Amino acid sequence: DPDMPFVPSIPEDQFILVEEGDPTTIPCRTSDPDAQVTLTNSLDKAVYAFYDSKQGFIGNFPAGSYTCKTMVKGVEFKSDEFLIYILRATSQLPVEIEALKTVYKTGETIVVTCVVFDNEVVNLQWNYPGKVKEKGLIKLDDIKVPSQKLLYTLTIPEASVKDTGDYECTARHATKEVKENKKVVITVHDKGFVHLEPQFSPLEAVNLHEVKNFVVDVE
């Protein structure tokens, strides 16, 4: 079609997510298989890569915007703009779960954090006693400096005894069949307590000038 040398692209094709180091395809396809197509970057400079009229340009491209150009009977046509985003991802999925404390009293706020290292392409799910009631508040912090970390923080306000149990986060790689889960056990008591264990009798005898130790274990 001389009036439509580039096959129209759908919006989903214009945003290209690529894992760091992986090749990708910029899908500017032509209606004429013999068309001469040039790929340009945001600075309007030519980018050299293998071209397949049925797929587009194939190669390892830096993040940025790209446009394809072709000439038909002396008239220049441009494709839609394609945006490439580079995402950091490793084949491994290092995950850690952190809790400042694992024993709480009723009314306190439970805070559990799940940390995913060196990956931006992750789906994470929480399982915890109050999930059915959607009691937890989930916050995500994406930290890039000095290294890539995703911090998923689960907060349970006004904890009750029913919030006692396993708190588990499961991270799944968005593009690879890799998953990792971590768990911590949280206990909520109705009220605070102190348990004393004296290591001496109710009545003790001491000789004059004798030094004697009285030991108490406190829990």
Side-chain angles (χ1 to χ4, degrees), residues 130-167:
K131 185 175 181 180
V132 175
K133 295 183 179 180
E134 296 183 347
K135 191 173 180 180
L137 306 172
I138 299 171
K139 176 188 174 188
L140 170 60
D141 291 307
D142 187 354
I143 298 173
K144 299 187 182 299
V145 178
S147 58
Q148 173 65 44
K149 287 195 296 187
L150 293 175
L151 271 67
Y152 296 86
T153 303
L154 173 66
T155 304
I156 312 288
E158 295 292 324
S160 70
V161 175
K162 292 182 179 178
D163 292 309
T164 294
D166 294 344
Y167 285 70

Coordinates of all heavy atoms in Angstrom, one line a residue, residues 130-167:
G130 N -4.6 -12.0 58.1 CA -5.7 -11.1 57.9 C -5.9 -10.8 56.4 O -6.7 -9.8 56.1
K131 N -5.4 -11.6 55.5 CA -5.5 -11.3 54.1 C -7.0 -11.3 53.6 O -7.4 -10.5 52.7 CB -4.7 -12.2 53.2 CG -4.6 -11.9 51.7 CD -3.7 -12.8 51.0 CE -3.7 -12.4 49.5 NZ -2.8 -13.2 48.7
V132 N -7.7 -12.3 54.1 CA -9.1 -12.4 53.6 C -9.9 -11.1 53.9 O -10.7 -10.7 53.1 CB -9.8 -13.6 54.4 CG1 -11.3 -13.6 54.0 CG2 -9.1 -14.9 54.0
K133 N -9.6 -10.5 55.0 CA -10.3 -9.2 55.4 C -9.5 -8.0 54.8 O -9.9 -6.8 55.0 CB -10.4 -9.0 56.9 CG -11.3 -10.1 57.5 CD -11.4 -9.9 59.0 CE -12.3 -10.9 59.7 NZ -12.4 -10.7 61.1
E134 N -8.5 -8.2 54.0 CA -7.7 -7.2 53.4 C -7.2 -6.2 54.4 O -7.3 -4.9 54.2 CB -8.5 -6.5 52.3 CG -8.8 -7.4 51.1 CD -9.5 -6.7 49.9 OE1 -9.9 -5.6 50.2 OE2 -9.6 -7.3 48.9
K135 N -6.8 -6.7 55.5 CA -6.4 -5.8 56.7 C -5.1 -5.1 56.4 O -4.8 -4.1 57.0 CB -6.3 -6.7 57.9 CG -6.2 -5.9 59.2 CD -6.3 -6.7 60.5 CE -6.2 -5.9 61.7 NZ -6.3 -6.7 62.9
G136 N -4.2 -5.7 55.6 CA -2.9 -5.2 55.4 C -2.8 -4.0 54.4 O -3.5 -4.0 53.4
L137 N -1.9 -3.1 54.7 CA -1.5 -2.0 53.8 C -0.2 -2.3 53.2 O 0.8 -2.6 53.9 CB -1.5 -0.7 54.5 CG -2.7 -0.3 55.3 CD1 -2.5 0.9 56.2 CD2 -3.9 -0.1 54.4
I138 N -0.1 -2.3 51.8 CA 1.1 -2.7 51.1 C 1.7 -1.5 50.4 O 1.0 -0.8 49.7 CB 0.8 -3.8 50.1 CG1 0.3 -5.1 50.8 CG2 2.1 -4.2 49.3 CD1 -0.2 -6.2 49.9
K139 N 3.0 -1.3 50.7 CA 3.7 -0.2 50.1 C 4.9 -0.7 49.3 O 5.6 -1.6 49.8 CB 4.1 0.8 51.1 CG 4.9 2.0 50.7 CD 5.5 2.8 51.9 CE 6.4 3.9 51.4 NZ 7.1 4.6 52.6
L140 N 5.2 -0.1 48.1 CA 6.4 -0.5 47.4 C 7.3 0.7 47.2 O 6.9 1.8 46.8 CB 5.9 -1.0 46.0 CG 7.1 -1.2 45.0 CD1 8.0 -2.3 45.4 CD2 6.5 -1.6 43.6
D141 N 8.6 0.4 47.6 CA 9.7 1.4 47.3 C 10.7 0.8 46.4 O 11.2 -0.3 46.6 CB 10.4 1.8 48.6 CG 9.5 2.6 49.6 OD1 8.9 3.6 49.1 OD2 9.3 2.1 50.7
D142 N 10.9 1.5 45.3 CA 11.9 1.0 44.2 C 13.2 1.8 44.4 O 13.2 3.0 44.1 CB 11.3 1.3 42.8 CG 12.2 0.7 41.7 OD1 13.3 0.2 42.1 OD2 11.7 0.7 40.6
I143 N 14.2 1.1 45.0 CA 15.5 1.8 45.2 C 16.5 1.4 44.2 O 16.7 0.2 43.9 CB 16.0 1.4 46.6 CG1 15.0 1.9 47.7 CG2 17.4 2.0 46.9 CD1 15.3 1.4 49.1
K144 N 17.1 2.3 43.5 CA 18.0 2.0 42.5 C 19.5 2.3 42.8 O 20.4 1.9 42.2 CB 17.7 2.8 41.2 CG 16.3 2.5 40.7 CD 16.0 3.2 39.4 CE 14.5 2.9 38.9 NZ 14.3 1.4 38.7
V145 N 19.7 3.1 43.9 CA 21.1 3.5 44.2 C 21.3 3.1 45.7 O 20.4 3.4 46.5 CB 21.3 5.0 44.0 CG1 22.7 5.4 44.5 CG2 21.1 5.4 42.6
P146 N 22.4 2.5 46.1 CA 23.6 2.1 45.2 C 23.3 0.8 44.5 O 24.1 0.5 43.6 CB 24.7 1.9 46.3 CG 24.0 1.5 47.5 CD 22.6 2.2 47.5
S147 N 22.2 0.1 44.8 CA 21.9 -1.1 44.0 C 20.4 -1.2 43.9 O 19.7 -0.6 44.6 CB 22.5 -2.4 44.7 OG 22.0 -2.5 46.0
Q148 N 20.0 -2.1 42.9 CA 18.5 -2.2 42.7 C 17.9 -3.1 43.8 O 18.3 -4.2 44.1 CB 18.3 -2.9 41.3 CG 16.9 -3.3 41.0 CD 16.0 -2.1 40.9 OE1 16.3 -1.1 40.3 NE2 14.8 -2.1 41.5
K149 N 16.9 -2.5 44.4 CA 16.1 -3.2 45.5 C 14.6 -2.8 45.4 O 14.3 -1.6 45.2 CB 16.6 -2.9 46.9 CG 17.9 -3.5 47.2 CD 18.2 -3.4 48.8 CE 18.3 -2.0 49.3 NZ 18.7 -2.0 50.7
L150 N 13.8 -3.8 45.5 CA 12.3 -3.6 45.6 C 11.9 -3.9 47.0 O 12.1 -5.0 47.5 CB 11.5 -4.4 44.6 CG 11.7 -4.1 43.1 CD1 10.9 -5.2 42.3 CD2 11.2 -2.7 42.8
L151 N 11.4 -2.9 47.7 CA 11.0 -3.1 49.1 C 9.5 -3.1 49.2 O 8.8 -2.1 49.0 CB 11.5 -1.9 50.0 CG 12.9 -2.1 50.7 CD1 14.0 -2.1 49.6 CD2 13.2 -1.0 51.7
Y152 N 8.9 -4.3 49.5 CA 7.5 -4.4 49.7 C 7.2 -4.4 51.2 O 7.6 -5.4 51.9 CB 7.0 -5.7 49.0 CG 7.1 -5.7 47.6 CD1 8.3 -6.2 47.0 CD2 6.1 -5.4 46.7 CE1 8.4 -6.2 45.6 CE2 6.2 -5.4 45.3 CZ 7.4 -5.9 44.8 OH 7.5 -5.9 43.4
T153 N 6.5 -3.4 51.7 CA 6.3 -3.3 53.2 C 4.8 -3.6 53.4 O 3.9 -2.9 52.9 CB 6.6 -1.9 53.7 OG1 8.0 -1.7 53.4 CG2 6.4 -1.9 55.2
L154 N 4.5 -4.6 54.3 CA 3.2 -5.0 54.7 C 3.0 -4.4 56.1 O 3.7 -4.7 57.0 CB 3.0 -6.5 54.7 CG 1.7 -7.0 55.3 CD1 0.5 -6.6 54.4 CD2 1.7 -8.5 55.4
T155 N 1.9 -3.6 56.3 CA 1.6 -3.0 57.6 C 0.2 -3.5 58.1 O -0.7 -3.3 57.3 CB 1.7 -1.5 57.5 OG1 3.0 -1.1 57.0 CG2 1.5 -0.9 58.9
I156 N 0.2 -4.0 59.3 CA -1.1 -4.4 59.9 C -1.4 -3.5 61.1 O -0.8 -3.6 62.1 CB -1.1 -5.8 60.4 CG1 -0.5 -6.8 59.3 CG2 -2.5 -6.3 60.8 CD1 -1.4 -7.0 58.1
P157 N -2.3 -2.5 60.9 CA -2.6 -1.6 62.1 C -3.5 -2.3 63.1 O -4.3 -3.2 62.7 CB -3.2 -0.4 61.4 CG -3.8 -0.9 60.1 CD -3.0 -2.1 59.7
E158 N -3.4 -1.8 64.3 CA -4.3 -2.3 65.4 C -4.3 -3.9 65.4 O -5.4 -4.5 65.2 CB -5.7 -1.8 65.2 CG -5.8 -0.3 65.4 CD -5.6 0.2 66.8 OE1 -6.0 -0.6 67.7 OE2 -5.0 1.2 67.0
A159 N -3.2 -4.5 65.6 CA -3.1 -5.9 65.6 C -3.9 -6.6 66.7 O -4.1 -6.0 67.8 CB -1.7 -6.4 65.7
S160 N -4.5 -7.8 66.4 CA -5.2 -8.5 67.4 C -4.6 -9.9 67.5 O -3.8 -10.3 66.6 CB -6.7 -8.6 67.1 OG -6.9 -9.4 65.9
V161 N -5.1 -10.7 68.4 CA -4.6 -12.1 68.6 C -4.8 -12.9 67.3 O -4.0 -13.8 66.9 CB -5.3 -12.8 69.8 CG1 -4.9 -14.2 69.9 CG2 -4.9 -12.1 71.1
K162 N -5.9 -12.5 66.5 CA -6.2 -13.2 65.3 C -5.1 -13.0 64.2 O -5.1 -13.7 63.2 CB -7.5 -12.8 64.7 CG -8.7 -13.2 65.6 CD -10.0 -12.8 65.0 CE -11.2 -13.3 65.9 NZ -12.5 -12.8 65.3
D163 N -4.3 -12.0 64.4 CA -3.2 -11.7 63.4 C -2.0 -12.6 63.7 O -1.0 -12.5 62.9 CB -2.8 -10.2 63.4 CG -3.9 -9.4 62.9 OD1 -4.4 -9.6 61.8 OD2 -4.3 -8.4 63.6
T164 N -2.0 -13.5 64.6 CA -0.9 -14.4 64.9 C -0.9 -15.4 63.8 O -1.9 -15.9 63.3 CB -1.1 -15.1 66.2 OG1 -1.0 -14.2 67.3 CG2 -0.1 -16.2 66.4
G165 N 0.3 -15.7 63.3 CA 0.5 -16.8 62.2 C 1.6 -16.5 61.3 O 2.6 -15.7 61.6
D166 N 1.6 -17.2 60.2 CA 2.7 -17.1 59.2 C 2.5 -15.9 58.3 O 1.4 -15.7 57.7 CB 2.7 -18.4 58.3 CG 3.1 -19.6 59.1 OD1 3.6 -19.4 60.2 OD2 2.8 -20.7 58.6
Y167 N 3.5 -15.1 58.1 CA 3.5 -14.0 57.1 C 4.5 -14.4 56.0 O 5.7 -14.5 56.3 CB 3.9 -12.7 57.8 CG 2.8 -12.2 58.7 CD1 2.5 -12.8 59.9 CD2 2.1 -11.0 58.3 CE1 1.4 -12.3 60.6 CE2 1.1 -10.5 59.1 CZ 0.8 -11.2 60.2 OH -0.3 -10.7 61.0

